[in-house]
Amino acid sequence: MDFSVLQETLVALLKQRNKRDIRTLLDQMHEADFASVMQHFSVADMLDLLLLLSLPSQGKLFVYLSNQQQADIAELMDRNDLAALFSTMEADKRADLYNQLSEDQRYALLPGLAQAEREDVRRLASYPEKTAGAIMTSSYATLKADWTVKKALKKLRLEAPDKETIYQTYVIDEVRQLLGTVSLKELILCSPTALVKDLMRTEVVSISLSSDQEDVSKVIRKYDLLALPVLDDNQRLVGIVTYDDAMDAAEEEATEDAQKSASVSALDTPMSQIGFWELYRKRVGWLVLLVFGALLSGAGLAFFEDTIAAQIALVFFMPLLVGSGGNAGSQAAALMVRALATGDVEFKDWAKVLGRDAFVASALGLTMGATVYLLGLLRGGPEIAIVVAISMFFVVVVGSLIGLCLPFILSKLKMDPATASGPLVTTIVDASGVLIYFGFATLLLGMDG
Amino acid sequence: MDFSVLQETLVALLKQRNKRDIRTLLDQMHEADFASVMQHFSVADMLDLLLLLSLPSQGKLFVYLSNQQQADIAELMDRNDLAALFSTMEADKRADLYNQLSEDQRYALLPGLAQAEREDVRRLASYPEKTAGAIMTSSYATLKADWTVKKALKKLRLEAPDKETIYQTYVIDEVRQLLGTVSLKELILCSPTALVKDLMRTEVVSISLSSDQEDVSKVIRKYDLLALPVLDDNQRLVGIVTYDDAMDAAEEEATEDAQKSASVSALDTPMSQIGFWELYRKRVGWLVLLVFGALLSGAGLAFFEDTIAAQIALVFFMPLLVGSGGNAGSQAAALMVRALATGDVEFKDWAKVLGRDAFVASALGLTMGATVYLLGLLRGGPEIAIVVAISMFFVVVVGSLIGLCLPFILSKLKMDPATASGPLVTTIVDASGVLIYFGFATLLLGMDG
């Protein structure tokens, strides 16, 4: 599909306020594509366009815009239009939008909603960001254990238009305790007179309201679920997270980890839309902070001033040594951060992992030491070659072990292991590298001289 | 659930070959959990345990083991047992296993399969790794356009046990061209006499056989699909990728990117199970390669030997300057790699992004320059402070721009942008940093002296 042609068509239709053709165009496209085209419009144009569509279309289309765009449009919207749009949106998306609104907008909006909706929005919007509660929806289908399959199917048929999914349903008792789950597939394969309780799966996988969204997507992925039921502290069913929202959460978490792993504070806005100041702010903090780490390396060099002055050739190998240590450390940290994030390795595994990786680090150190011994011979003579080779071995081993341990230490301190980023590791390893290198040099060349 | 208690129970039951209790235990658990417990067994024990289960249970359980474990167990299996297990496995998982088998095992296995299965396995196993073809399944449900809803539902009910999903079905013509899609929800909401062609969605999202698995999960996520149809070059439907396999693919890609972004070649085995040599091999290549990059920095330093000898205090600031440049470069590279990987930024956006980020880089450079000016004053006097501050500005700006451009350049060269890793960027930026710093020092201090 050629989006630029579509965009021109849409601009022209919007100018003419040609409601009929715009609606036909939307019918022929997936809402996600229509939203992609719309994204390039001004907020005012997006609003005009939305209001030319039917209300259900508005609701379907709106959720494909970014959170920022949704909030900007809502800002301009008449309160009645906004209340109407709110009522057509999915429960979880609606709560997300509510959280983006200003206090004034919220007060203007709430009276326009039916009471049940108002309570639902307020409740869903009240859970802390990035928890199961924040990404769950309240529109799921429930059954009773003593119903027949026939009755269950009839209820699902009635409720289908309003529920986020009817493919997975939840069997609850009077106090909303979760007794089991049944899939629609199981229901339609059974005799209409069978009872729900006889075909439900009772070993139900569930998660608590306050769980991290990262864990939600891990569980959904591990058990290949369509949706994961969310329970409150009293084990009552309060919502479900569907696989598509879990996919978005996993993507968001992976992006956040990628950003943290380069010492950037997690961005709230996609890179394509982020503004100058936000990007500056998210980057400058760590850069300045790491300056103080780098000062340690400088202080180390100052300490060895005499050695350096006596053998200036030592300086030429410094970038090689500290760089390699930093690289080995970054490798180890990235591998460990990712393994912890996906749940492949857990905190309790640290001793086992450390044992194996110490061998790997030593082997890497030997290889690197041998490589630079030759370089040292060629460029600085046998004495320097020995110093450089021994230093390289230790720098690579120490760097690897620092990179490996840092994520575990951070996770023990209840911090995100992803903060054990390349730049942080590099800065720490740089300082150790300077000490190791010039320490050995002073020791070995000092003895010689 | 306490897995260590479960594991002991299972070990005891296996020792007694207590088939009945093992089966009961499996009934009370999710297969994924049972597989987690089993993973700690030896391969021989895993095989013994599997063979005590019913054939359908074997198939369901087997797919939750890692690819390596599946292959190891298959290696020990009698060919008839393996053929039986093969027949109960899902089509896509079966093909993955086939790809892991040795040539001998394949020859032994194929005669034991029914002809249709044999062809299906061979076909699915033939697509290149990490493409849509490799992760798709051939067991999807199709309908004809002129069928009634009643007939469609009847067919789905019959086929449900064998299909990976019946919630999304595909309407095809005689030559398997994809005409539209219908969800089970739409079918059960419609009158039984309605025709499939009147309710199917005709603006179908699909993907081609050779598409990258990364694109498959992007599309599924963008359009919130349960499954994505895969078409061959003649636009015929040949398979579908379900959301759960797309989630696994997305996770795999994010892990691979995280590894590449630390200059580790993508691992084929999870960190928890990887062996010494594989980990060594995947790390050593880049480490040694980057040595040659670091030599550039060394050569730069050698070139400025006279300046360094005259003003040894300059060396103390070197880690600070080249380190900060490397950090800024790593930040920029990581942000861009991730934005390209998620599709948030595309290649054509490079000019726009570069323009905005040049401003951000300049602002960061100014901040960092001002910070180190003070440090320079304190530790080296006004002349050195000026040199250090000006160098810092340029090192940070150049570092950021290198980090920003490298992913675009690699993507233009048809290489994975994720290779624009922290260590690679750091190594390049280090060399530029040395040249900038000592270049300015020679110029400014030389003029002074």
Side-chain angles (χ1 to χ4, degrees), chain A residues 33 223 263 272 280 344 367, chain B residues 33 223 263 272 280 331 344 367:
Chain A
D33 290 326
Y223 297 97
S263 288
S272 58
Y280 171 80
D344 174 32
T367 313
Chain B
D33 291 325
Y223 296 98
S263 289
S272 58
Y280 172 79
Q331 286 185 333
D344 174 33
T367 312

Side-chain angles (χ1 to χ4, degrees), chain B residues 184-200:
Chain B
L184 182 59
K185 179 168 161 176
E186 287 158 337
L187 287 172
I188 65 171
L189 282 176
C190 262
S191 144
T193 55
L195 294 179
V196 167
K197 66 176 162 215
D198 295 327
L199 59 135
M200 69 186 184

